Amino acid sequence: MAQQLPLQVIEYLAKRGYNRTEAMLRAESAFADQDGHVVPQRAEHTGGRKYRLAMDLLRGWIEENLDIYKPELRRLLWPIFVYSFLNLVAEHYAQDANSFFAHYKELFEQEHGDDLRKLSPISLPEHLHASQTAQIYRTNKYRVSLTSAPYFTLVSFLELREKAGGSVILSLLQSSCNVHVVSRGAVDPHSLVGILQRASNQQDMPTEDEGIPGHNPGSANIDVGSTGALTNLKLGPLPMEPDLMVDVQAELEEEDTKNPPRQGQTSLVDDFDRHIKREPSDDAPVRGDIPLPPSQARDVAMEVVRAKENRGRFRMDDRQGNGFPGVSVVMYTFHNTYHMVNCLDISDDNKLVAAGTSDSYIRVWTLDGSPLSSVLPHGPHDSASASTRRLIGHSGPVYAVSFSPSAGALDASSDSVATNPTYLLSSSADGTIRLWSVDAWSCLVVYKGHDEPVWDLQWGPFGHYFVSGGRDKVARLWSTDHIGYLRMFVGHDQDVDTVCFHPNSCYVFTGSNDKTVRMWAISNGNAVRIFTGHTANITAMTCSRDGKILASADQGGAIFLWDLVSGRRIKRMRGHGKGGIWSLSWNVESTVLVSSGADQTVRLWDVHLNNEVPAGSAAQQSRTVSGSDGVVSGTSTVPRLEGVNGGSAGLANSTSGAASNSRSSTSTEIGTANQFPSLIGGGASSGGSSSGGGASGVRVGVGVGVGVSGVVAPKKKKEGVVTSDHLNCFLTKRTPVYYVRFTRMNLVIAAGAFMVE
């Protein structure tokens, strides 16, 4: 009966004169199965299943393609997925749309998790108009760049498999995508070298011109509908106050007279004029844009100290061979913390260290074990010789601490102006920020404004302003002379996890759980740049000392460098294990970046080296590490430390770091029972020996790293990809490194908490 029904219908149509309808029915019924069901001959005839058939066709072909073309061809999958899903919804295939979305979403969760979250509730055509993300995709074409060879191969394949779904893909590419066909250059990302690098390293990262303007990785536009013109930035150094400049030059001239420079050494005045003095320029902001208090004698003394440090610093201007000259690392390790330490900060004069704990208090130590002085008389329970203080006031865990800017006192005379840190900031889960006096060891101000926990804060480069970010998705600008906040920076969709200042204090940067970095102008509170491309939560940021490049790191172990002028991503650097990169710092010349994090390592990176090199090359082979292990190359030697806390440091036999070109690593362990009740015991580790009484709580050990150049450490974990700009890796012994910083002398200082097995 089922087979006779089409014949009866055809006869009826012919009898009534519906000739055109009869012809169409005859054509379709010619491909019916034995049960009378029509078998579709083209994917377009399958209704809502056509997009799934087309997606499977494209995926299968890409995975069977040449390995060198897979990374760029895979970039097509996301736009095909999005526009297929949106078309299914618009064509009222709600069930097919939900099935399609659930089947393929796992492919894109890492890179496009936010968009997937915003698209997932859409199931009806009415939802398309209410969703901003859906409107962005429907009203714009997605830009994808392909080199000519895979592009023409793709088109040929789709035309050949037109009936199996090729025509569906071709229609989507024509109507919803802007495929930019490029030729291979010599050194650009689309060159053979770049393709080989991405294929070997499994780098499936988008190029900076991919996507929709304002919504794509690497974009600097704030508004999707913007014309592409970016806000002009003033990235030059803030000009010095004229009176301050005159006073500093007078002090430096006096110092040159007392201590003439050695033969071949420049005078302090000349070095100041060439490298430090900040005069008005076209790319520099005006001092009136950022109100600052008048300079004082302390400011003069700090500039003099900085001039002396700049002249005597370890130079890292030029590369030597495949890298830069050796770098020394001093590592401070906290023992017996019982996972209580949340954050660490070391003062700029390298004399104090502060730890914020989950028990709601802050502990401060002197790094050399000397007593902490106070302008107030000691209490009945305070020891005049104690080298530590506990600051109590918060009612929740302390998540960030920050010392005010300072400079090391190179002149120890009694009449010299103090340049030590004056204040300490702390933020907590109680939603408050506290300002502590380092001279009186007491709380001066409690700043209230955040509604929820404050995750991070940082002083401005001149010490008057500071910025904070928290769980309320807002960053706030504060100053020490106002009880309330001065600016609110609103725009992130999730928590603001990390904040930092631009060196000229005119801009602040915020990193968020929404995987974006935003740059804000302090003068008006507006966002001037937005950088997207991270695939994990952003955990650390820092701006280069020349003010031109921003470095941001995420929980996945990737470091991104951004050009602030153009708003483009410069490159991505990989080498850290998973768990998060917690601290970043630039050297004085802005040529080397140092990083540290949960993988228990300190790593150095060549900023200006292009990491787009083919796998298997010498540069790539010499920089491959696995997990938290790293390359051990060269021999490290460090001098015997004398006079630390009245004793000499013992020379350790254990390897505490990887070194090359005479790189050295020094470790210091902190914590005893009578100083830090939560840090019980505090015995010497295998990497160091005790150097003084238990009252000081400071133990110093010197580690010597010895290894073979180019030898990879034994693998304990799955081997991770390390880009060729990775210079060196310093290992620790079960110590996640919370804090790392290049000093103004171009030495690296780091700190972390030992983890008991």
Side-chain angles (χ1 to χ4, degrees):
M1 180 67 181
Q3 295 179 351
Q4 297 176 356
L5 183 60
L7 296 177
Q8 295 175 358
V9 174
I10 291 174
E11 291 177 357
Y12 172 79
L13 293 174
K15 184 177 180 180
R16 293 291 183 177
Y18 297 107
N19 298 327
R20 186 175 301 176
T21 305
E22 175 195 358
M24 294 176 59
L25 183 57
R26 286 182 181 277
E28 291 186 0
S29 61
F31 301 101
D33 58 14
Q34 60 181 0
D35 295 327
H37 299 294
V38 177
V39 178
Q41 299 301 300
R42 299 178 64 89
E44 302 96 298
H45 300 161
T46 59
R49 294 182 59 247
K50 62 182 178 181
Y51 292 106
R52 186 161 181 172
L53 294 173
M55 188 74 171
D56 289 337
L57 177 70
L58 180 63
R59 280 191 63 201
W61 178 77
I62 290 176
E63 296 306 320
E64 294 177 358
N65 215 301
L66 295 177
D67 289 342
I68 61 172
Y69 295 139
K70 286 182 181 179
E72 56 180 319
L73 287 172
R74 285 174 180 152
R75 308 308 309 171
L76 291 170
L77 294 177
W78 169 249
I80 296 299
F81 166 80
V82 171
Y83 290 108
S84 296
F85 171 72
L86 296 178
N87 287 349
L88 283 170
V89 174
E91 295 169 9
H92 299 274
Y93 293 111
Q95 186 175 355
D96 291 319
N98 293 333
S99 175
F100 181 87
F101 189 89
H103 184 74
Y104 295 109
K105 68 177 183 179
E106 292 184 0
L107 298 174
F108 313 103
E109 283 182 344
Q110 182 179 9
E111 184 179 335
H112 301 282
D114 290 340
D115 282 353
L116 288 173
R117 176 172 51 83
K118 296 174 182 177
L119 293 173
S120 59
I122 299 176
S123 58
L124 298 175
E126 293 79 8
H127 298 165
L128 296 176
H129 302 286
S131 172
Q132 181 180 2
T133 302
Q135 286 300 310
I136 289 174
Y137 280 99
R138 296 189 73 196
T139 57
N140 294 274
K141 285 191 174 183
Y142 194 97
R143 178 185 173 95
V144 182
S145 295
L146 292 176
T147 52
S148 55
Y151 171 74
F152 291 117
T153 305
L154 170 67
V155 174
S156 299
F157 169 76
L158 295 178
E159 291 177 345
L160 181 65
R161 302 297 303 275
E162 179 184 5
K163 295 182 179 181
S167 60
V168 177
I169 300 295
L170 286 172
S171 177
L172 289 173
L173 291 177
Q174 182 178 6
S175 61
S176 304
C177 296
N178 180 13
V179 181
H180 181 57
V181 182
V182 297
S183 301
R184 292 181 184 172
V187 293
D188 61 25
H190 302 290
S191 65
L192 182 60
V193 172
I195 294 174
L196 289 172
Q197 170 69 6
R198 291 193 298 274
S200 61
N201 287 353
Q202 298 178 356
Q203 292 185 3
D204 197 17
M205 294 298 297
T207 57
E208 63 186 19
D209 59 348
E210 178 180 325
I212 298 172
H215 194 72
N216 63 299
S219 170
N221 293 336
I222 302 301
D223 185 9
V224 176
S226 63
T227 60
L230 301 178
T231 304
N232 291 328
L233 303 179
K234 298 290 186 179
L235 302 179
L238 187 70
M240 235 183 221
E241 191 178 352
D243 292 341
L244 175 62
M245 188 183 303
V246 173
D247 292 341
V248 172
Q249 288 177 328
E251 290 289 334
L252 294 177
E253 289 175 358
E254 183 178 352
E255 184 66 26
D256 284 333
T257 303
K258 291 181 180 179
N259 302 299
R262 299 188 302 270
Q263 184 177 3
Q265 187 181 41
T266 60
S267 66
L268 290 173
V269 175
D270 291 340
D271 195 72
F272 175 79
D273 291 338
R274 293 179 184 177
H275 305 292
I276 301 179
K277 183 172 67 175
R278 305 184 297 273
E279 295 181 333
S281 60
D282 294 337
D283 65 338
V286 181
R287 287 193 63 86
D289 296 340
I290 307 296
L292 292 170
S295 59
Q296 301 175 352
R298 170 185 168 86
D299 300 311
V300 177
M302 290 180 63
E303 291 294 341
V304 171
V305 170
R306 289 167 182 166
K308 293 179 180 180
E309 289 179 335
N310 184 74
R311 187 179 67 174
R313 78 176 189 274
F314 183 66
R315 303 285 172 175
M316 300 179 67
D317 298 305
D318 301 320
R319 294 182 179 88
Q320 293 183 358
N322 291 331
F324 285 88
V327 175
S328 296
V329 177
V330 178
M331 176 72 189
Y332 291 90
T333 302
F334 287 73
H335 282 258
N336 303 319
T337 61
Y338 300 104
H339 304 284
M340 289 181 57
V341 174
N342 293 331
C343 55
L344 294 169
D345 189 44
I346 298 176
S347 60
D348 291 342
D349 62 354
N350 305 319
K351 292 185 177 181
L352 301 175
V353 58
T357 70
S358 56
D359 276 355
S360 309
Y361 66 87
I362 304 153
R363 175 69 75 172
V364 181
W365 290 269
T366 57
L367 292 179
D368 58 0
S370 60
L372 280 171
S373 60
S374 175
V375 296
L376 299 179
H378 293 279
H381 302 290
D382 295 333
S383 172
S385 61
S387 61
T388 181
R389 288 268 186 167
R390 189 166 65 167
L391 305 178
I392 301 175
H394 285 291
S395 59
V398 179
Y399 292 125
V401 289
S402 181
F403 283 104
S404 61
S406 60
L410 299 183
D411 185 1
S413 60
S414 59
D415 59 345
S416 61
V417 178
T419 58
N420 61 293
T422 307
Y423 304 113
L424 173 68
L425 283 170
S426 62
S427 64
S428 167
D430 61 15
T432 66
I433 300 170
R434 288 181 177 259
L435 180 70
W436 307 85
S437 170
V438 176
D439 297 325
W441 301 111
S442 60
C443 182
L444 301 178
V445 186
V446 179
Y447 297 97
K448 297 181 179 180
H450 287 277
D451 299 327
E452 298 188 61
V454 184
W455 300 130
D456 194 23
L457 54 79
Q458 189 183 83
W459 282 99
F462 304 106
H464 182 64
Y465 299 99
F466 61 93
V467 64
S468 62
R471 189 178 176 183
D472 56 4
K473 308 176 186 178
V474 176
R476 287 175 166 85
L477 179 73
W478 312 76
S479 69
T480 53
D481 58 354
H482 285 74
I483 189 65
Y485 54 85
L486 306 178
R487 288 278 188 272
M488 287 181 61
F489 304 114
V490 182
H492 285 290
D493 295 330
Q494 297 185 33
D495 302 21
V496 177
D497 286 336
T498 179
V499 294
C500 71
F501 267 90
H502 189 272
N504 65 14
S505 194
C506 292
Y507 306 98
V508 296
F509 302 92
T510 56
S512 170
N513 269 1
D514 62 12
K515 303 179 182 64
T516 66
V517 176
R518 293 176 184 258
M519 181 179 182
W520 311 82
I522 288 180
S523 59
N524 54 24
N526 294 334
V528 293
R529 295 287 189 274
I530 177 173
F531 304 104
T532 60
H534 282 280
T535 58
N537 297 341
I538 298 168
T539 53
M541 293 187 306
T542 183
C543 188
S544 62
R545 303 201 186 196
D546 61 10
K548 298 178 180 178
I549 302 175
L550 176 71
S552 59
D554 59 36
Q555 197 169 0
I559 302 174
F560 285 70
L561 298 184
W562 310 93
D563 184 347
L564 297 182
V565 176
S566 65
R568 299 186 176 215
R569 187 182 69 238
I570 298 174
K571 62 177 177 178
R572 181 180 69 158
M573 304 185 295
R574 292 200 294 177
H576 276 280
K578 292 184 178 180
I581 298 173
W582 295 340
S583 186
L584 298 169
S585 181
W586 296 82
N587 69 335
V588 176
E589 296 82 2
S590 299
T591 55
V592 175
L593 186 73
V594 64
S595 61
S596 66
D599 64 351
Q600 307 171 17
T601 64
V602 175
R603 298 177 185 268
L604 296 172
W605 309 87
D606 188 342
V607 173
H608 298 300
L609 179 65
N610 183 7
N611 60 14
E612 298 286 345
V613 299
S617 65
Q620 181 68 20
Q621 288 178 351
S622 66
R623 295 182 175 89
T624 302
V625 301
S626 59
S628 61
D629 299 327
V631 179
V632 180
S633 58
T635 302
S636 170
T637 59
V638 263
R640 186 180 179 86
L641 298 183
E642 301 290 347
V644 179
N645 192 29
S648 61
L651 188 63
N653 294 323
S654 65
T655 301
S656 62
S660 64
N661 297 330
S662 300
R663 292 180 174 90
S664 61
S665 176
T666 303
S667 65
T668 301
E669 302 164 9
I670 299 178
T672 60
N674 63 337
Q675 290 182 354
F676 206 161
S678 62
L679 304 186
I680 301 174
S685 71
S686 61
S689 60
S690 178
S691 63
S696 70
V698 178
R699 287 177 168 82
V700 179
V702 180
V704 180
V706 181
V708 181
S709 177
V711 177
V712 180
K715 290 192 237 181
K716 295 182 181 179
K717 300 179 181 179
K718 183 179 179 180
E719 184 173 306
V721 176
V722 181
T723 51
S724 58
D725 42 22
H726 181 266
L727 292 176
N728 207 351
C729 173
F730 294 88
L731 308 179
T732 66
K733 185 177 181 180
R734 297 200 304 275
T735 305
V737 186
Y738 292 22
Y739 174 89
V740 67
R741 174 171 58 84
F742 263 111
T743 69
R744 285 187 288 267
M745 302 289 285
N746 269 342
L747 304 178
V748 177
I749 186 169
F754 183 81
M755 294 180 61
V756 180
E757 291 183 343

